[in-house]
Amino acid sequence: RSRETIVTRAASAQAAPRGRARNIPALTLGAIGIVYGDIGTSPLYTFREAARPAAEGGLTEAEVLGVVSLLLWAMMLIVSAKYVLFLLRADNRGEGGILSLVALVQKASGRSGAVFLLGLVGAALFFGDAIITPAISVLSAVEGLRLVTPVFNPFVLPIAVGILVALFLVQTHGTAGLARWFGPVTLVWFLAMAAAGLNQIVAMPGILAAIDLRFGIAFLQWHGQVGFIVLGAVFLCVTGAEALYADLGHFGRKPIRIAWFGMVLPALALNYLGQGALVLSDPAALRNPFFLLVPSWALPPMVVLATVATVIASQAVITGAFSMSRQAIQLGFL
């Protein structure tokens, strides 16, 4: 029932017996589902929440480009540079995670109260992520039903609550048997997000200017306190990034890096750019830019896929919280 059991069984179905080097494809697929499940559901709500504070008087083109630029560069600097390229090298006998990092630093520099306190704060932030992710992700996915037909409006919240209750009831029995589907389902989710975003980018190629960081910097310079609020919402796009480091011992550096640069980052970037392009062409689409990316005929299957993806992400972050509790006990940090 632990995160280790889920990860092991998810990868072992296709694993070759001659070591991790032979298992790169299976481990990469497993990483897509388990490591990146959380961050992969962020597009459901992040752009909408980030752009909303600046949209009271109507969004200008520069504002849309600025918000999208901040989203793209938050992923590049925090996930790509900090976690994938740098922090993955700081393993403690092959293991990662904030508590492993604390043990590693204390081993190198002696026991330090400040380091210990920082480690506990980091662990607490992860627990906070594990609390809000299931609720906000599942609710955002189910909200897509409102676009299918207004008949569902009164039922969105009860359906989300029912899914969450079922998720926690199943959790007590373990989900290792379902874990083999996490990678393939999440892979389909990333491909669907990328395709939806690419369609809008082709229609509005000017959104590609958001790749220039100067638009993000200019947005923060000209919006003062509102810019600070927007930046706080922008950080929702990297929610779940700590799973990269926490799951280092389960998957290894190479599969995690291949999954990020080969699939996850391109899919997320295309989707955020697509949402920005949609809002540029139709500012009213800000009410739910993620689901409005897809044509009406594709909306019901997209809502179903989003709901399944958020359940997978929620399950992964919940087991991650239990795994961190277990690690805290083993390290004497409880």
Side-chain angles (χ1 to χ4, degrees), residues 127-150:
F127 283 130
D129 180 21
I131 290 171
I132 68 171
T133 291
I136 193 173
S137 298
V138 172
L139 182 59
S140 297
V142 178
E143 279 180 340
L145 291 172
R146 291 175 174 170
L147 300 178
V148 176
T149 171

Side-chain angles (χ1 to χ4, degrees), residues 175-270:
T175 53
L178 298 175
R180 70 188 66 182
W181 299 104
F182 287 2
V185 171
T186 309
L187 177 61
V188 173
W189 168 246
F190 280 118
L191 291 173
M193 284 199 300
L198 184 60
N199 184 51
Q200 291 295 329
I201 295 171
V202 171
M204 183 70 68
I207 192 62
L208 293 174
I211 297 173
D212 189 342
L213 179 57
R214 288 177 295 181
F215 282 99
I217 295 174
F219 180 91
L220 295 177
Q221 286 178 331
W222 289 101
H223 284 80
Q225 185 177 357
V226 172
F228 184 76
I229 296 172
V230 168
L231 191 62
V234 162
F235 271 76
L236 290 171
C237 78
V238 297
T239 300
E242 62 279 348
L244 285 132
Y245 187 43
D247 286 326
L248 175 59
H250 302 143
F251 293 98
R253 294 184 187 89
K254 192 171 183 179
I256 291 175
R257 285 173 173 165
I258 291 174
W260 174 251
F261 289 113
M263 173 53 64
V264 180
L265 177 60
L268 293 174
L270 286 173

Side-chain angles (χ1 to χ4, degrees), residues 260-307:
W260 174 251
F261 289 113
M263 173 53 64
V264 180
L265 177 60
L268 293 174
L270 286 173
N271 193 267
Y272 285 127
L273 286 166
Q275 291 188 49
L278 176 64
V279 172
L280 278 180
S281 61
D282 180 14
L286 186 61
R287 61 192 174 100
N288 202 326
F290 180 86
F291 284 112
L292 290 174
L293 282 176
V294 300
S296 57
W297 61 265
L299 191 54
M302 194 65 170
V303 172
V304 173
L305 182 59
T307 303

Side-chain angles (χ1 to χ4, degrees), residues 47 60-72 205-216 219 273 276-277 280:
F47 176 76
T60 65
E61 179 179 355
E63 288 173 330
V64 173
L65 292 174
V67 172
V68 176
S69 179
L70 290 172
L71 290 168
L72 296 178
I207 192 62
L208 293 174
I211 297 173
D212 189 342
L213 179 57
R214 288 177 295 181
F215 282 99
F219 180 91
L273 286 166
L280 278 180

Side-chain angles (χ1 to χ4, degrees), residues 60-129:
T60 65
E61 179 179 355
E63 288 173 330
V64 173
L65 292 174
V67 172
V68 176
S69 179
L70 290 172
L71 290 168
L72 296 178
W73 281 95
M75 292 191 297
M76 290 300 299
L77 294 176
I78 296 176
V79 184
S80 297
K82 174 187 172 183
Y83 279 101
V84 178
L85 297 179
F86 177 72
L87 201 54
L88 284 183
R89 297 188 299 173
D91 64 286
N92 184 14
R93 298 180 181 179
E95 295 294 330
I98 184 66
L99 297 183
S100 291
L101 183 62
V102 169
L104 188 66
V105 172
Q106 289 189 334
K107 186 186 302 181
S109 59
R111 298 190 68 85
S112 167
V115 170
F116 178 69
L117 181 60
L118 286 173
L120 294 186
V121 170
L125 291 173
F126 178 78
F127 283 130
D129 180 21

